């Protein structure tokens, strides 16, 4: 595909036209180079409008939406060992902010406010907003929030069920408009992200390669029924044993038999990083050091450290680039390209290296 010389900058987040991305970067953080519109139409729509109502409440539309990140308060960070991490953090913040300014073109939110903030957890004592990205350390982050809230003495003795089903933590959409607006403009907003391919494979391994009383009967049965020719009655009844290729067919199908799920939804649609301007951008690849630096910034107790244990299936090897390559071997080159197309906005705005497809 060649770059259109007449191409004008468009709003990548709201455009309805298919867009393909060209990046040239090595295995370190580099800038995404060129975004170009093409005339070819992929089999899936690569750009989706933010879901939700088209207009916000009149009261909210009269408010001033926060347009910039705030400088991080570094007065509580005395140790010079954080300088390298701080420099990396500033680069990430700047890169995301510049990307959104150049390609976002958003002056007003186009989605319903309460939907946009529905993945954001609130910790009022230390004035933190944390946007939950599943498969990017979110379980341990919620443990940390529970400790900061005074709900537990240590992050190491909180069970998985207490984290995800205990209803101990508040979400931003539980507040009224005034409460949401005030917190967005005054609290430190953090998001932790992960390489999209790794996150996708991690989600598949977690939900489909182990017994699961929700994902097998809800997603597994529907996926096997639609994408497995001549499936036997037992497979259709229990929904277990979904193959990665079948899961990818479901993901890329514009007429999915079941909807999307937060574990493989795009980060750009979970956290709206070009509308909600995050003060801190952490990465799963450097999770511990990023998280512990963040805890320093917000004045957390000195004894509190980010836990490094694997939340579930602890005997399984962690999903990394090597593991991802093994799963991608089962796919055609076209399928691998379409996965990248599906997640390309996440790749771009968080400056991840384009995968070898």
């Amino acid at each position: 595909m060649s770059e259109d010389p007449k191409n004008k900058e468009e709003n990548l987040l709201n455009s309805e036209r298919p867009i393909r991305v060209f990046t040239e970067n090595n295995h370190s953080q580099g800038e995404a180079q060129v975004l170009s519109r093409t005339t070819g139409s992929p089999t899936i729509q690569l750009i989706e409008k933010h879901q939700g109502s088209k207009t916000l409440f009149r009261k909210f539309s009269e408010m001033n939406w926060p347009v910039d990140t705030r400088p991080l308060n570094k007065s509580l960070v005395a140790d010079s060992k954080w300088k390298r991490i701080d420099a990396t953090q500033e680069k990430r913040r700047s890169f995301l902010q510049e990307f959104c300014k150049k390609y976002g073109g958003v002056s007003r939110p186009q989605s319903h406010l309460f939907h946009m903030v529905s993945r954001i957890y609130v910790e009022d004592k230390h004035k933190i907003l944390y946007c939950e990205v599943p498969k990017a350390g979110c379980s341990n982050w919620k443990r940390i929030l529970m400790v900061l809230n005074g709900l537990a003495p240590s992050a190491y003795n909180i069970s998985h069920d207490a984290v995800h089903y205990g209803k101990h933590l508040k979400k931003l959409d539980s507040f009224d408009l005034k409460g949401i607006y005030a917190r967005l403009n005054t609290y430190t907003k953090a998001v932790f992200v992960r390489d999209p391919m790794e996150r996708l494979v991690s989600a598949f391994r977690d939900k489909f390669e182990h017994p699961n009383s929700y994902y097998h009967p809800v997603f597994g049965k529907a996926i096997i029924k639609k994408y497995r020719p001549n499936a036997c009655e037992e497979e259709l009844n229990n929904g277990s044993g979904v193959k990665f290729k079948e899961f990818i067919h479901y993901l890329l199908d514009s007429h999915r038999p079941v909807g999307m799920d937060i574990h493989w939804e795009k980060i750009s649609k979970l956290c709206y990083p070009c509308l909600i301007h995050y003060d801190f951008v952490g990465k799963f690849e450097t999770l511990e050091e990023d998280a512990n630096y963040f805890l320093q910034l917000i004045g957390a107790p000195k004894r509190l450290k980010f836990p490094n244990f694997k939340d579930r299936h602890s005997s399984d090897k962690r999903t990394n680039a090597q593991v991802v390559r093994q799963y991608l071997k089962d796919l055609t080159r076209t399928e691998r390209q379409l996965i990248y197309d599906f997640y390309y906005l996440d790749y771009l705005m968080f400056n991840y290296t384009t995968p070898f497809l």
Side-chain angles (χ1 to χ4, degrees):
M1 296 175 290
S2 59
E3 184 180 354
D4 181 358
K6 297 181 180 180
N7 180 41
K8 297 180 180 179
E9 290 182 6
E10 296 187 36
N11 176 0
L12 294 190
L13 299 181
N14 293 323
S15 170
E16 296 186 23
R17 296 187 179 90
I19 294 176
R20 296 297 285 273
V21 178
F22 300 82
T23 60
E24 294 180 9
N25 49 12
N26 53 26
H27 291 282
S28 62
Q29 288 190 344
E31 289 200 28
Q33 299 294 316
V34 183
L35 291 98
S36 173
R37 186 183 65 199
T38 69
T39 54
S41 297
T43 59
I44 58 173
Q45 184 175 339
L46 303 183
I47 304 294
E48 297 178 323
K49 285 188 176 181
H50 293 304
Q51 299 301 306
S53 61
K54 294 181 180 179
T55 58
L56 298 171
F57 290 113
R58 181 180 303 172
K59 181 178 178 182
F60 177 71
S61 67
E62 295 170 355
M63 295 179 176
N64 293 319
W65 185 252
V67 293
D68 287 313
T69 53
R70 295 177 298 107
L72 290 168
N73 179 10
K74 301 174 186 178
S75 62
L76 298 173
V77 182
D79 199 327
S80 61
K81 73 177 183 178
W82 301 110
K83 284 185 177 180
R84 176 183 57 83
I85 301 171
D86 177 69
T88 299
Q89 183 58 219
E90 291 300 329
K91 288 178 182 177
R92 289 178 189 165
R93 284 180 4 131
S94 175
F95 184 89
L96 177 59
Q97 193 172 15
E98 289 304 311
F99 174 86
C100 291
K101 282 181 179 178
K102 190 169 185 180
Y103 299 110
V106 178
S107 58
R108 286 286 182 191
Q110 299 299 310
S111 185
H112 196 294
L113 171 65
F114 289 93
H115 170 74
M116 287 169 51
V117 302
S118 63
R119 305 308 319 166
I120 296 179
Y121 285 86
V122 179
E123 202 282 288
D124 284 314
K125 183 178 178 182
H126 295 82
K127 297 187 176 181
I128 301 168
L129 297 180
Y130 162 72
C131 187
E132 176 189 26
V133 176
K135 313 312 298 180
C138 70
S139 296
N140 282 337
W141 257 117
K142 286 193 274 189
R143 288 184 171 94
I144 288 289
L145 294 178
M146 290 175 70
V147 174
L148 291 173
N149 263 308
L151 299 170
S154 169
Y156 286 86
N157 56 9
I158 307 174
S159 70
H160 177 86
D161 286 353
V163 167
H164 291 286
Y165 310 117
K167 307 295 183 185
H168 301 296
L169 298 171
K170 293 181 291 186
K171 288 186 177 180
L172 194 51
D173 64 351
S174 67
F175 296 88
D176 60 16
L177 287 170
K178 184 178 179 180
I180 293 173
Y181 174 72
R183 286 167 175 81
L184 282 173
N185 278 284
T186 59
Y187 283 22
T188 301
K189 301 178 289 294
V191 61
F192 277 71
V193 301
R194 186 177 186 178
D195 176 274
M197 289 283 192
E198 285 191 20
R199 183 170 164 254
L200 178 67
V201 172
S202 177
F204 173 78
R205 295 176 73 197
D206 180 26
K207 304 306 179 187
F208 295 102
E209 292 187 348
H210 296 274
N212 191 295
S213 61
Y214 173 73
Y215 284 91
H216 290 189
V218 175
F219 286 88
K221 288 169 69 172
I223 289 172
I224 289 173
K225 182 178 180 181
K226 184 165 185 180
Y227 308 108
R228 183 177 298 178
N230 305 316
C232 69
E233 187 175 350
E234 182 181 358
E235 294 169 335
L236 293 170
N237 286 337
N238 61 37
S240 61
V242 170
K243 297 179 176 61
F244 186 63
K245 192 179 185 75
E246 295 167 338
F247 173 66
I248 295 306
H249 286 174
Y250 145 80
L251 180 76
L252 300 176
D253 189 349
S254 59
H255 302 287
R256 299 182 192 96
V258 280
M260 281 296 289
D261 181 85
I262 60 171
H263 290 84
W264 46 85
E265 179 62 279
K266 307 162 192 175
I267 301 172
S268 55
K269 294 188 70 175
L270 290 172
C271 296
Y272 296 89
C274 281
L275 294 173
I276 299 170
H277 297 276
Y278 292 92
D279 305 297
F280 192 95
V281 181
K283 290 195 172 184
F284 184 82
E285 294 76 11
T286 51
L287 179 58
E288 275 190 75
E289 60 182 24
D290 287 351
N292 286 324
Y293 178 52
F294 181 76
L295 291 175
Q296 292 275 318
L297 288 171
I298 54 98
K302 297 294 183 183
R303 60 176 173 78
L304 183 60
K305 305 297 180 186
F306 193 80
N308 59 4
F309 62 84
K310 200 169 185 286
D311 187 53
R312 294 203 302 168
H313 316 308
S314 57
S315 61
D316 289 1
K317 181 179 180 180
R318 283 190 183 273
T319 303
N320 55 26
Q322 183 181 7
V323 171
V324 169
R325 281 194 291 271
Q326 293 301 313
Y327 280 80
L328 294 182
K329 282 182 180 179
D330 295 333
L331 307 180
T332 65
R333 180 181 175 84
T334 298
E335 289 166 339
R336 295 194 296 269
Q337 178 66 50
L338 287 173
I339 297 172
Y340 170 71
D341 291 343
F342 187 82
Y343 288 110
Y344 86 96
L345 197 55
D346 287 356
Y347 272 104
L348 280 175
M349 61 175 45
F350 298 113
N351 203 17
Y352 276 108
T353 301
T354 304
F356 179 75
L357 301 174

